[in-house]
Amino acid sequence: VILVFECEMASRLVDPSFIAKIVASSRPTFVNGSWRKPAYSARKLAQLQKEFATESVEWPLEMKERGYPSQKPKGHKFERLKAQRLLDIEKNMKQMDEKVETYLTKKREERRMKKEKKQLLEPVPM
């Protein structure tokens, strides 16, 4: 009885209509404005794939690989922007002497103007 079943299974796996049915029934279908589930669930497809492998018959479907995609994880924002930040710091450090000098001259000028204003407002002794 087992030999008859195995022969029937082997012939069924090679039958083109059965293979076409597997391919058509393994994907969801859009019918009348709504999606219908596939006739064969992922578990049933895996079971059929094992049957095909035991009978040395080529599997007609391309199965999706599990796991992470080949894309690198996004990471933290500060890690992604670190290289640009270091370039900006280097560029600004080259201009730092000039910026410090302009800042100091501006402050000196403000102090000088404040002192002159104070002297102008000070009453003149008679």
Side-chain angles (χ1 to χ4, degrees):
V1 175
I2 295 174
L3 294 175
V4 173
F5 177 71
E6 287 179 0
C7 290
E8 287 177 10
M9 186 175 69
S11 65
R12 178 182 70 142
L13 296 179
V14 181
D15 182 27
S17 63
F18 180 69
I19 293 174
K21 181 182 173 189
I22 290 173
V23 171
S25 301
S26 65
R27 293 189 177 89
T29 54
F30 192 71
V31 179
N32 295 332
S34 63
W35 286 95
R36 291 191 181 171
K37 291 182 181 180
Y40 290 112
S41 66
R43 183 182 60 81
K44 288 181 183 177
L45 286 173
Q47 205 170 18
L48 278 171
Q49 188 176 14
K50 285 180 186 177
E51 287 179 25
F52 272 74
T54 56
E55 296 298 322
S56 301
V57 179
E58 187 179 336
W59 179 242
L61 295 174
E62 190 175 306
M63 298 300 283
K64 293 180 184 175
E65 290 184 18
R66 290 184 174 211
Y68 293 105
S70 61
Q71 184 179 358
K72 189 176 123 181
K74 191 172 177 182
H76 296 283
K77 185 177 179 182
F78 74 90
E79 292 171 343
R80 287 183 280 130
L81 300 178
K82 187 172 186 173
Q84 182 62 41
R85 184 174 170 268
L86 291 174
L87 290 173
D88 290 344
I89 289 173
E90 185 179 335
K91 184 181 87 176
N92 289 336
M93 287 304 290
K94 288 178 183 175
Q95 300 172 355
M96 192 54 65
D97 291 336
E98 183 183 318
K99 287 183 178 184
V100 168
E101 189 61 38
T102 56
Y103 174 80
L104 289 176
T105 55
K106 180 182 170 188
K107 284 297 183 182
R108 285 185 199 122
E109 185 65 26
E110 285 177 0
R111 274 187 255 131
R112 190 179 63 76
M113 294 297 286
K114 188 175 178 182
K115 188 174 182 182
E116 285 179 3
K117 188 176 180 182
K118 187 177 177 183
Q119 286 176 352
L120 288 175
L121 295 175
E122 205 172 82
V124 179
M126 285 194 202

